[in-house]
Amino acid sequence: MSIAKGKKTAILGPNGAGKTTLFLHFNGILRPKRGKIFYDGKEVCYRRAEIAELRKNVGIVFQNPDVQLFLADLYQEISFGPINLGYSEDEVKEKVESAMRCTGILELRDKPVHHLSYGQKKSVSIADVLAMEPEVVILDEPTAYLDPRHVSQITAIFDVLVSEGKTVILSTHDLDFAYSWADYIYVMDKGKIVAKGDPVTVFSSAGRDPDLFRMPLILEVYSILRENGIACDAAVPRNAKELKKYIKLALGLKC
């Protein structure tokens, strides 16, 4: 597996496929019994100082925010990481404010963490990691149990991070989201990679296990249109907006 810098990578697979275990290897929480982990072209060293540096650059947001959040005060919660990295008081304040602004939780700063909704806690968990300014942000099932509004808000955060040159890696069971969002997809099953490639390639391939490779709705509609002779030379649509444009072009309508 090779993760492209500055890209959006989605890891798919059923429960127990090994996605979370893989993520725990990415920043040294777990150490491989065989094989090697490389970061920025260098093999990961498991001495304390090197691991601390790795975790500064590779941040993980866990699936359940209650596992990650442990302080009652929101500001103290988000400032915990920068303080432990040795930043000055002014630097800590700047990084916390920036992380809160990016995740849209500035108005929550005076609320106790345990009074926040699940979606708000997810945003605080992301701010926890962003305050340390990692180069790689890893998110384990970031959209699980969220309503559409919070999914849109969190997805917008991911896009901002990538626009800033950061690498975003996430696991998800939402195949429609992965298809429209990711630059590259890996599919895991029983601890192994069973498919990889760009979203269109991965989901268009024939002979796949239907339990792992249900066709995303946008791609399914596109396939039905093609089968019924409604086709044009436009690229395969990845989202609703692109599908609408494709249909208008195929029918000779103005876009």
Side-chain angles (χ1 to χ4, degrees):
M1 175 181 284
S2 178
I3 304 296
K5 184 176 182 179
K7 298 295 184 180
K8 300 180 288 188
T9 300
I11 313 294
L12 310 181
N15 291 331
K19 303 185 295 296
T20 299
T21 300
L22 176 69
F23 287 171
L24 296 179
H25 281 81
F26 279 175
N27 79 338
I29 294 176
L30 294 180
R31 184 172 179 171
K33 295 180 180 179
R34 62 179 183 271
K36 297 178 180 180
I37 306 292
F38 290 81
Y39 175 72
D40 199 22
K42 298 178 182 179
E43 184 177 349
V44 171
C45 176
Y46 293 88
R47 290 191 295 266
R48 179 176 295 181
E50 283 80 0
I51 283 294
E53 183 66 19
L54 176 69
R55 291 174 184 168
K56 176 183 176 182
N57 291 318
V58 182
I60 294 183
V61 179
F62 295 102
Q63 178 178 351
N64 184 353
D66 291 321
V67 172
Q68 185 166 336
L69 307 177
F70 61 95
L71 292 174
D73 182 86
L74 190 146
Y75 186 91
Q76 290 180 344
E77 169 65 41
I78 300 173
S79 66
F80 183 84
I83 289 173
N84 280 274
L85 290 176
Y87 291 112
S88 68
E89 184 177 343
D90 288 341
E91 288 175 322
V92 169
K93 182 178 180 180
E94 179 185 347
K95 294 179 187 303
V96 172
E97 293 284 344
S98 176
M100 293 174 68
R101 190 177 302 108
C102 179
T103 52
I105 58 172
L106 279 170
E107 72 279 4
L108 303 177
R109 64 183 307 150
D110 296 323
K111 282 192 174 184
V113 172
H114 60 277
H115 284 176
L116 301 179
S117 70
Y118 187 86
Q120 289 170 333
K121 287 181 179 179
K122 281 269 195 177
S123 295
V124 174
S125 297
I126 296 173
D128 262 0
V129 171
L130 298 189
M132 295 188 288
E133 298 185 332
E135 295 179 355
V136 180
V137 180
I138 300 172
L139 307 108
D140 194 2
E141 292 287 346
T143 61
Y145 310 116
L146 295 184
D147 57 55
R149 180 172 64 87
H150 279 103
V151 170
S152 296
Q153 289 175 349
I154 287 180
T155 302
I157 294 170
F158 304 158
D159 293 338
V160 169
L161 295 177
V162 172
S163 72
E164 294 174 347
K166 297 185 185 298
T167 302
V168 178
I169 309 167
L170 60 80
S171 65
T172 183
H173 290 294
D174 188 338
L175 304 186
D176 294 293
F177 167 70
Y179 174 74
S180 64
W181 177 82
D183 295 316
Y184 202 84
I185 288 176
Y186 286 96
V187 183
M188 295 183 65
D189 190 28
K190 299 176 183 178
K192 296 182 179 180
I193 297 169
V194 296
K196 61 182 179 179
D198 66 84
V200 174
T201 299
V202 168
F203 287 112
S204 298
S205 300
R208 299 298 195 186
D209 183 340
D211 293 331
L212 296 176
F213 295 92
R214 177 187 64 79
M215 187 174 286
L217 180 60
I218 297 295
L219 189 57
E220 187 172 1
V221 172
Y222 165 79
S223 299
I224 293 172
L225 292 172
R226 299 281 297 188
E227 290 169 3
N228 287 275
I230 303 174
C232 66
D233 294 331
V236 180
R238 295 274 305 281
N239 53 53
K241 183 178 180 181
E242 291 180 2
L243 178 61
K244 183 178 180 180
K245 181 178 179 180
Y246 179 90
I247 293 173
K248 285 186 174 182
L249 287 173
L251 295 177
L253 304 175
K254 291 184 178 180
C255 293

